[in-house]
Amino acid sequence: MKNQNSQFIQRSCQILLMLAGVTTGLSQFSPPPATVPDGEQPPGVWPRIVSAANLDVTVTPGSVLGGSGSDNLKVQIPSSGPYVWTESRHNEGDIAMLLSAHDPTVQPPNNFEDNYAIGTGPTTHAWRVNKFLGLALATPRVNGRDNGDTRDDQPVGTIYGVAYFNADFGQGWSYRMTDGAYSNGGDGAQDLQMTLLGMGNAVGSSDGEANFDCALAFFPYAQGWIGAHVLGSIGSIGPDGMASFDANAYSPVLHPSSVMWQLNENFFDYDGHARIVLPNGDPSQGLLFGSATSAANSGALFGAYPNDSGWDVAIRDANDLDATGQTLAAQGNMSFMFLYVPTNSVNFIGGQIEGATGTRILSGGDYTFARTGPGNYELTIPGKTGSDGVLLLTVAGAMADSVIPNLPDRTTLSYVYSGGKFIIQSREAIAGDNRFGLAYPQRDTDFVFAWVDFGDPLHPVGAPNQSDQLTIERTGANIALSWPLTIFNETLESASSLSAANWAPVTISPTVSGEQKRVVLPATDAAQFYRLKRP
């Protein structure tokens, strides 16, 4: 507290901070000023810390997979936090995700919208997920679903999916994190993509796009998270297989030599097999999450097998049916991103699980876990439901009987919250007898998981704390109250005594200057108490 007039402050302006005790990270990055067009509103608070969202995607009844009605979707975000998420564009398999909306009550339209591409209004008044500012991950939040759609006048039946954020071609109106421009995508904007497991290019299917529920999370580089976007084109492979990072889309502590493509000795060339060795972490200290990032509709599978002091990564086409796992993504379709999550992160709940037994290989936080059958697991986190946060999942097992050493498994992971438990499933796509020539058996695999809480998300040790300090000072005949610009959008309230049953919001709107909010009020002789209340 600034004490320019201690007698005045003690007599009439005592301050009480009523906060939830949340310790979160605050980056020192200065956000770009938003360029707000006439008639629009600015975005919400600059995304400083980890945030996540539950996304529900419903397909219009009677749609044709990859055809009529497949772009006519109802997209809802039933829960998110600490930032409020929204969307500004969607069609089959593609959604433009935004976070930290100006209006915390905003939601996409609660009805079916065909090829939704709004160019103005509240759902666009937020920051666009951007690869240059952080690492975005997605997990299917449904263990298979029949959307009731058809193909060639026949039912499609149950589909299984892969979800990820692409590295290019993001469209949809919003505010760009890079320069504050109100724009239709561009400059690192990413789309959420959903693709069909095994069905891209399958006879009688579609181009591979799909619609299903997802769990989403965004980890800002500036908060201290380690990770990168790795290019997968022919010209991006350097001497001895050294990888190239997507320009400016990686943690400052990393050098491209942290990722090396592995030579396929059968073809004397590099394909979708890489090795990651981090300068500030290894498999004994943390978990590696990731996804493919190609904009191809067929998508790709990502696995990261921890061994020795690093991880072997494999990228495979999602429509690949080679059950031996030896077929990897070709150059041009093997780009990926990864995120390292230390197990000593504050609020960390997660671990590495041995799929065959359900045994914890590496673990942190309070949870119970059990294997209930091949590729089927039950996770319980005390006091948490599917509305309180999301799970991140990544394959961490080795491909059995692989002739290529240390090659990660080819399974995929999904989950659903049901009956008080998170039901996690591991399965693979192989040749089968459904109408598309496919089968999707569940199979054990080692994997890693991490919980991202909406109210109190994890953050790295040593990340600067987000201050909740309310300060007061005398300015002539007035008093000025100020507090940091935080993600929580606190409301300033007042009361005449600490025992008051009802606290009233201060009706004067705060002004924002740099990183501070400020309210100026007339000074009075009567005692007055103030507090910040989080939503």
Side-chain angles (χ1 to χ4, degrees):
M1 178 181 293
K2 296 180 180 179
N3 194 0
Q4 294 186 355
N5 187 326
S6 60
Q7 184 177 5
F8 170 83
I9 292 172
Q10 184 177 9
R11 183 179 73 248
S12 61
C13 295
Q14 299 180 54
I15 299 174
L16 177 66
L17 298 181
M18 302 289 287
L19 298 169
V22 177
T23 302
T24 55
L26 172 66
S27 80
Q28 301 304 314
F29 184 84
S30 296
T35 304
V36 183
D38 291 343
E40 306 297 333
Q41 296 294 326
V45 176
W46 176 252
R48 299 180 179 281
I49 70 170
V50 173
S51 183
N54 283 321
L55 178 72
D56 291 348
V57 185
T58 307
V59 183
T60 188
S63 66
V64 176
L65 183 66
S68 175
S70 61
D71 293 332
N72 193 14
L73 311 176
K74 181 165 69 172
V75 175
Q76 289 289 280
I77 304 167
S79 51
S80 61
Y83 308 109
V84 173
W85 290 54
T86 181
E87 66 117 1
S88 63
R89 185 192 67 85
H90 69 238
N91 55 36
E92 185 180 34
D94 297 287
I95 301 182
M97 299 305 307
L98 289 60
L99 65 162
S100 193
H102 173 84
D103 179 356
T105 67
V106 71
Q107 274 281 295
N110 189 24
N111 53 270
F112 290 95
E113 294 282 344
D114 191 12
N115 210 9
Y116 181 67
I118 192 74
T120 186
T123 59
T124 69
H125 300 158
W127 297 101
R128 182 62 180 276
V129 173
N130 191 290
K131 67 180 179 182
F132 296 137
L133 275 297
L135 298 150
L137 295 103
T139 302
R141 197 170 51 84
V142 59
N143 292 327
R145 186 170 76 182
D146 187 344
N147 283 327
D149 46 11
T150 64
R151 184 74 181 182
D152 300 329
D153 298 322
Q154 298 182 51
V156 170
T158 301
I159 63 170
Y160 301 93
V162 179
Y164 61 99
F165 283 86
N166 63 25
D168 295 291
F169 307 115
Q171 301 177 50
W173 283 90
S174 58
Y175 288 92
R176 292 197 304 229
M177 288 189 186
T178 50
D179 57 11
Y182 187 69
S183 172
N184 185 12
D187 201 22
Q190 296 179 269
D191 278 352
L192 169 69
Q193 291 198 242
M194 296 166 286
T195 191
L196 294 161
L197 178 61
M199 287 180 64
N201 303 321
V203 176
S205 63
S206 69
D207 62 0
E209 294 184 287
N211 299 301
F212 46 85
D213 299 344
C214 293
L216 315 174
F218 182 75
F219 290 70
Y221 288 121
Q223 197 185 8
W225 296 104
I226 296 174
H229 279 257
V230 180
L231 298 175
S233 61
I234 295 174
S236 68
I237 302 174
D240 299 320
M242 188 170 72
S244 296
F245 293 159
D246 199 337
N248 299 318
Y250 60 93
S251 304
V253 299
L254 293 182
H255 184 272
S257 61
S258 300
V259 182
M260 302 291 291
W261 292 107
Q262 303 298 289
L263 184 67
N264 187 328
E265 296 182 357
N266 293 325
F267 302 103
F268 300 100
D269 203 353
Y270 299 102
D271 51 17
H273 183 196
R275 173 81 175 161
I276 298 176
V277 178
L278 299 177
N280 297 332
D282 62 52
S284 69
Q285 303 172 343
L287 314 177
L288 198 78
F289 297 87
S291 71
T293 56
S294 170
N297 290 331
S298 61
L301 309 181
F302 176 95
Y305 170 53
N307 64 93
D308 295 330
S309 59
W311 295 262
D312 277 70
V313 167
I315 310 296
R316 298 179 176 91
D317 290 339
N319 58 7
D320 168 52
L321 302 183
D322 179 4
T324 71
Q326 306 307 289
T327 303
L328 302 176
Q331 292 177 14
N333 196 36
M334 59 186 195
S335 61
F336 68 92
M337 58 75 62
F338 68 90
L339 165 72
Y340 176 69
V341 177
T343 54
N344 69 347
S345 298
V346 179
N347 302 324
F348 175 80
I349 299 175
Q352 180 185 345
I353 302 297
E354 183 183 76
T357 62
T359 303
R360 307 180 192 197
I361 300 173
L362 191 64
S363 184
D366 185 14
Y367 65 90
T368 59
F369 192 91
R371 176 186 179 272
T372 57
N376 209 79
Y377 313 93
E378 293 183 351
L379 167 70
T380 303
I381 303 175
K384 302 300 181 182
T385 72
S387 299
D388 297 318
V390 305
L391 288 179
L392 299 180
L393 301 168
T394 291
V395 170
M399 188 73 216
D401 303 319
S402 173
V403 298
I404 303 175
N406 300 322
L407 197 64
D409 206 349
R410 64 182 296 272
T411 53
T412 62
L413 298 161
S414 62
Y415 79 93
V416 68
Y417 182 77
S418 177
K421 298 176 181 180
F422 296 90
I423 311 301
I424 300 170
Q425 293 188 351
S426 168
R427 67 181 70 247
E428 62 180 337
I430 60 174
D433 58 4
N434 76 357
R435 59 166 297 214
F436 301 109
L438 301 171
Y440 309 95
Q442 288 183 242
R443 178 168 67 75
D444 290 329
T445 194
D446 295 358
F447 64 93
V448 295
F449 80 91
W451 171 253
V452 183
D453 198 81
F454 292 150
D456 197 1
L458 72 171
H459 64 85
V461 171
N465 289 331
Q466 180 146 333
S467 172
D468 297 303
Q469 185 179 18
L470 179 64
T471 63
I472 187 170
E473 61 181 332
R474 180 72 177 265
T475 60
N478 299 316
I479 58 170
L481 298 112
S482 59
W483 63 97
L485 184 65
T486 74
I487 63 167
F488 298 105
N489 290 322
E490 301 98 335
T491 300
L492 180 64
E493 294 185 334
S494 67
S496 58
S497 72
L498 289 175
S499 60
N502 297 312
W503 288 69
V506 173
T507 57
I508 297 176
S509 298
T511 59
V512 177
S513 177
E515 298 289 305
Q516 291 284 312
K517 287 186 176 182
R518 180 180 172 91
V519 169
V520 178
L521 301 171
T524 66
D525 289 332
Q528 195 72 14
F529 295 83
Y530 296 93
R531 71 179 185 183
L532 294 174
K533 183 179 180 182
R534 292 180 181 169

